[in-house]
Amino acid sequence: TTTHMRARALARARTPDLESSAYQNMIAGLCLAVVVILIFTNNWWLTALCALALYSIISLVFCEMVFFGWEVDILVAIDISIASGMSVDYVLHLAHAYNGETGDHADKVRKALKDMGVSVASGMLTTFFACIALFLCDMLWFRLFGCFIAMVIITAFAVSMFGMMSLLALAGPGDGQGEMPFCNKPMDAGVCKKKGEE
């Protein structure tokens, strides 16, 4: 129909600064995500490894978009803008779980996966199943958005559970390593405390 064709034409329309605006929003989201991770883990070492994981997730999602032939239009620009916000979820959960454990690198990873691994896997599965409804929609935007969410959550799950946790097992901060001194009073409500601390 004519309305559907107009909607597709609008979706394919490109403005001169659409692409740069989408990337600026994504970079701002990544920077905010790194700041949030630093605040909640109070550990610069762990935050640096999480930033590497986030960069890897975003890069892989962009590779997948290119592989599937997506071009930057209004719909894809919206997806790019929110990519960093959707990517940080599993990374932050696992990083916070790792940071709250004691022991050497491998022990902390094992305990963090035992505490948080099932929750992260369940979150990925329920979100993916919710995307199936979007795959079946007639509107282009909903279908593309469902595909985008599925790409992000599967990539974020794989990178955070396998890549980031393996990296933490090899080079993650041990007890007391990389901790920032400013957490002692402002975040003393339990967010930064290790298990067993009063």
Side-chain angles (χ1 to χ4, degrees):
T1 64
T2 309
T3 307
H4 187 67
M5 291 175 66
R6 284 184 189 159
R8 290 188 83 132
L10 179 62
R12 299 284 177 217
R14 293 183 68 162
T15 58
D17 58 351
L18 178 66
E19 196 168 330
S20 64
S21 175
Y23 291 124
Q24 287 171 2
N25 290 337
M26 182 210 55
I27 291 168
L30 274 176
C31 292
L32 181 61
V34 169
V35 169
V36 168
I37 292 170
L38 181 61
I39 289 171
F40 280 94
T41 63
N42 189 40
N43 192 306
W44 64 266
W45 189 336
L46 182 57
T47 301
L49 296 178
C50 289
L52 179 63
L54 286 173
Y55 177 77
S56 301
I57 293 166
I58 296 295
S59 299
L60 287 171
V61 169
F62 284 170
C63 289
E64 292 163 21
M65 292 167 78
V66 170
F67 178 78
F68 290 121
W70 290 22
E71 295 178 2
V72 179
D73 54 29
I74 292 173
L75 302 179
V76 175
I78 293 169
D79 292 342
I80 290 170
S81 297
I82 64 172
S84 53
M86 294 185 66
S87 302
V88 75
D89 190 28
Y90 306 142
V91 171
L92 180 57
H93 280 75
L94 291 170
H96 190 261
Y98 175 90
N99 199 46
E101 302 296 346
T102 56
D104 64 6
H105 314 291
D107 287 339
K108 290 176 79 167
V109 166
R110 207 173 296 113
K111 292 173 186 175
L113 287 174
K114 183 180 177 184
D115 288 347
M116 193 59 64
V118 173
S119 301
V120 170
S122 299
M124 187 274 296
L125 286 173
T126 55
T127 306
F128 179 77
F129 289 138
C131 290
I132 292 174
L134 293 173
F135 298 156
L136 304 174
C137 290
D138 288 333
M139 279 189 68
L140 175 66
W141 190 85
F142 288 120
R143 280 202 318 265
L144 286 178
F145 193 61
C147 292
F148 174 76
I149 292 173
M151 284 192 298
V152 171
I153 62 164
I154 291 170
T155 305
F157 176 80
V159 169
S160 61
M161 286 286 279
F162 304 114
M164 187 183 82
M165 296 310 278
S166 299
L167 185 60
L168 288 174
L170 291 173
D175 288 340
Q177 292 179 320
E179 289 185 357
M180 307 284 285
F182 61 78
C183 187
N184 295 338
K185 292 296 176 189
M187 300 289 285
D188 213 21
V191 175
C192 292
K193 291 183 178 177
K194 304 264 188 230
K195 287 187 176 177
E197 289 182 354
E198 301 295 337

